[in-house]
C-alpha cells in the first residue's frame, strides 16, 4: 500500500512527487511536461479534487475510479480516456482466481492509475530507464506499456491451468488413485469455476482492446495502434485458451461420470446374472420347502439328491445360455 505518488519528465529530468499539493503545483507550473500519477487504493477528498480541478476528470468518472466493478470497460471523453481492466491478484490460487481492478485515465500529457495491489504497475514504476523512454514518447505509450504487462501476466496462469488439468486427469483415470477420485472431482469443479471467471473477463477485455487497436480514439496516436493490436492478439489468445481449458475440465468431468456409469453397469450386470442363476434354484427350494402332507417326494429316499440335481442342472443351463448369447 502507498499514498499518492507521481513521476514526471520535467525539462529532461525525472521528478518524483509525493503529495497532492506537489502534484497540483507541478502540473500547473509545467503544462507541457508528461506525468504519471499513481493513486492510493482509497481516494481522499483532496485526491478527488485534484482529479477534478487539475486534470479535468468528470465527477462521475472520479466516483467510478473509487468504486469496484466486476467487468472491464472503456469510456471516451472530450479530454481524456477512461480504461478499466483487471489483473491477477497475487493472493490468487488456481481454484480461487482473484482479480484486481486497474483504472487508467489517459490525458494528452498524463496518465493516472488506480489499483489495489498490481504487480505490473509496481514493476513498471521501478523500471526507471524504461519509464524515462516512455515518458519521452508520451502518456499513451506509457498506458500501452502498462496494459501490455497486465495482459502478459495472464499467460503464465494459463500454463499453470494446463498442468493442473493434466494432474487431475491422471488422478481421475489412474486406478491407483481411484480412492481419491472424489477429491479430484471437487478440485475440478473449483478449477472450472475459476476458468469461467477468467473467460468472462478476457472476453470483455477483448472488446476493449479491439476498440483501442482500431484507431478510432483521438488520444491514441496512429503509430501506437499496431502495438495495441498486438495486445489484442494476446488477450484473444488468453480468452481462447481459457475457453478451451474450461471445455477440457467439463470433458474430464463428463468422461469420469461415463466411466463411473460403465463400472456401475458392469457391477449390475454381474449381480443380475448371479440373481438369474440363483432364482430358479430358489424356486425349487421354495417348492420343496412347503410343509404339505401329500408331497410324494418328501418321503422318497432320493428326493433330496433329486432336488439338488435339479437345482444344479437349472443353474448350469442358465450359465450355458448366457455364454451362448455372449453375455458372460
Amino acid at each position: 500500500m502507498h499514498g499518492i505518488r507521481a513521476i514526471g519528465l520535467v525539462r529532461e529530468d525525472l521528478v518524483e512527487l509525493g503529495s497532492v499539493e506537489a502534484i497540483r503545483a507541478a502540473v500547473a507550473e509545467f503544462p507541457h511536461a508528461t506525468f504519471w500519477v499513481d493513486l492510493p487504493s482509497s481516494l481522499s477528498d483532496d485526491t478527488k479534487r485534484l482529479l477534478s480541478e487539475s486534470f479535468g476528470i468528470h465527477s462521475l468518472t472520479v466516483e467510478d475510479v473509487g468504486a469496484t466493478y466486476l467487468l472491464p470497460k472503456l469510456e471516451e471523453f472530450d479530454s481524456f480516456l477512461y480504461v478499466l481492466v483487471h489483473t491477477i491478484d497475487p493472493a490468487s490460487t488456481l481454484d480461487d482466481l482473484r482479480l484486481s481492478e486497474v483504472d487508467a485515465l489517459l490525458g494528452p500529457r498524463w496518465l493516472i492509475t488506480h489499483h489495489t495491489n498490481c504487480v505490473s504497475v509496481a514493476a513498471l514504476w521501478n523500471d526507471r530507464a524504461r519509464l524515462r523512454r516512455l515518458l519521452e514518447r508520451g502518456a499513451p505509450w506509457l498506458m500501452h506499456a502498462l496494459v501490455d504487462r497486465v495482459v502478459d501476466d495472464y499467460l503464465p496462469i494459463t500454463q499453470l491451468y494446463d498442468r493442473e488439468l493434466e494432474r487431475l486427469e491422471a488422478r481421475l483415470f489412474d486406478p491407483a488413485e481411484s480412492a481419491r477420485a472424489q477429491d479430484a472431482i471437487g478440485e475440478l469443479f473449483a478449477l472450472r469455476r475459476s476458468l469461467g471467471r477468467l473467460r468472462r473477463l478476457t472476453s470483455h477485455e477483448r472488446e476493449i482492446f479491439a476498440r483501442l487497436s482500431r484507431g478510432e480514439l483521438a488520444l491514441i496516436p496512429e503509430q501506437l495502434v499496431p502495438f495495441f493490436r498486438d495486445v489484442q492478439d494476446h488477450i484473444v489468445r488468453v480468452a481462447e485458451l481459457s475457453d478451451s481449458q474450461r471445455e477440457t475440465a467439463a470433458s474430464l468431468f463428463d468422461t469420469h461420470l461415463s466411466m463411473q456409469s460403465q463400472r456401475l453397469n458392469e457391477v449390475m450386470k454381474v449381480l443380475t446374472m448371479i440373481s438369474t442363476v440363483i432364482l430358479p434354484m430358489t424356486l425349487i427350494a421354495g417348492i420343496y420347502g412347503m410343509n404339505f402332507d401329500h408331497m410324494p417326494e418328501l418321503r422318497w429316499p432320493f428326493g433330496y439328491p433329486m432336488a439338488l440335481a435339479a437345482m444344479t442342472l437349472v443353474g448350469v443351463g442358465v450359465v450355458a445360455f448366457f455364454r451362448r448369447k455372449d453375455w458372460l
Side-chain angles (χ1 to χ4, degrees):
M1 301 298 291
H2 61 81
I4 189 171
R5 59 182 181 177
I7 190 168
L9 188 64
V10 179
R11 295 172 181 171
E12 299 185 357
D13 293 327
L14 284 179
V15 177
E16 292 191 47
L17 308 167
S19 67
V20 171
E21 293 75 13
I23 296 171
R24 182 182 287 112
V27 171
E29 184 178 356
F30 305 103
H32 300 293
T34 303
F35 291 94
W36 176 14
V37 180
D38 191 32
L39 305 175
S41 56
S42 179
L43 301 183
S44 64
D45 292 338
D46 287 342
T47 302
K48 293 179 180 180
R49 282 194 295 271
L50 173 70
L51 296 179
S52 301
E53 297 171 2
S54 297
F55 296 99
I57 307 299
H58 195 280
S59 58
L60 293 178
T61 305
V62 174
E63 295 299 325
D64 288 345
V65 170
T68 300
Y69 289 90
L70 298 178
L71 295 177
K73 66 177 180 177
L74 185 152
E75 295 179 352
E76 185 180 19
F77 296 85
D78 293 337
S79 59
F80 68 93
L81 191 67
Y82 176 36
V83 179
L84 189 158
V85 295
H86 290 79
T87 185
I88 305 298
D89 193 287
S92 293
T93 58
L94 291 180
D95 56 355
D96 184 19
L97 184 67
R98 300 180 185 180
L99 302 172
S100 178
E101 182 179 310
V102 179
D103 302 280
L105 297 164
L106 175 66
R109 302 196 65 83
W110 44 262
L111 174 68
I112 302 172
T113 55
H114 173 258
H115 58 95
T116 301
N117 187 20
C118 180
V119 294
S120 301
V121 172
L124 186 59
W125 185 273
N126 294 325
D127 190 353
R128 294 309 170 87
R130 187 184 182 196
L131 191 55
R132 170 184 282 274
R133 294 194 300 270
L134 292 170
L135 289 172
E136 288 174 350
R137 303 187 76 173
W141 294 89
L142 180 60
M143 189 184 78
H144 165 265
L146 176 61
V147 296
D148 183 46
R149 187 181 287 267
V150 167
V151 171
D152 285 343
D153 286 343
Y154 289 142
L155 293 175
I157 199 167
T158 58
Q159 298 172 356
L160 293 178
Y161 276 126
D162 274 333
R163 289 197 288 269
E164 184 68 8
L165 286 171
E166 291 175 359
R167 185 184 69 84
L168 291 176
E169 181 179 8
R171 285 182 57 184
L172 286 173
F173 305 128
D174 186 359
E177 296 284 344
S178 59
R180 301 172 57 193
Q182 196 60 39
D183 294 337
I185 287 295
E187 294 178 26
L188 191 61
F189 267 122
L191 202 67
R192 185 182 177 186
R193 185 170 56 249
S194 293
L195 284 168
R197 190 179 301 125
L198 181 61
R199 186 190 65 168
R200 287 191 298 272
L201 171 70
T202 52
S203 64
H204 285 85
E205 289 192 350
R206 181 167 51 186
E207 298 300 322
I208 289 175
F209 288 111
R211 288 191 61 190
L212 289 170
S213 63
R214 283 198 291 261
E216 63 183 37
L217 303 174
L219 286 173
I220 304 300
E222 184 178 353
Q223 60 269 30
L224 188 55
V225 168
F227 294 91
F228 275 112
R229 192 173 296 126
D230 179 67
V231 178
Q232 184 199 9
D233 291 340
H234 290 177
I235 199 66
V236 168
R237 178 185 174 193
V238 173
E240 291 177 349
L241 281 173
S242 61
D243 196 28
S244 173
Q245 289 166 343
R246 190 171 185 272
E247 291 179 357
T248 300
S251 176
L252 287 177
F253 179 70
D254 292 341
T255 304
H256 174 72
L257 287 183
S258 298
M259 292 181 62
Q260 291 293 98
S261 179
Q262 180 65 24
R263 293 193 189 103
L264 181 60
N265 289 339
E266 291 294 330
V267 172
M268 293 302 298
K269 178 182 176 181
V270 172
L271 294 177
T272 302
M273 289 183 177
I274 293 173
S275 300
T276 305
V277 172
I278 293 178
L279 184 61
M281 299 181 183
T282 305
L283 176 63
I284 296 173
I287 292 174
Y288 286 104
M290 295 185 293
N291 295 321
F292 292 115
D293 290 336
H294 302 289
M295 293 184 67
E297 292 87 353
L298 292 179
R299 300 185 184 280
W300 186 33
F302 300 104
Y304 178 66
M306 182 203 71
L308 292 179
M311 288 188 282
T312 302
L313 287 174
V314 170
V316 171
V318 173
V319 172
F321 176 77
F322 286 161
R323 287 187 176 277
R324 184 177 179 181
K325 293 292 186 178
D326 200 21
W327 294 348
L328 187 64

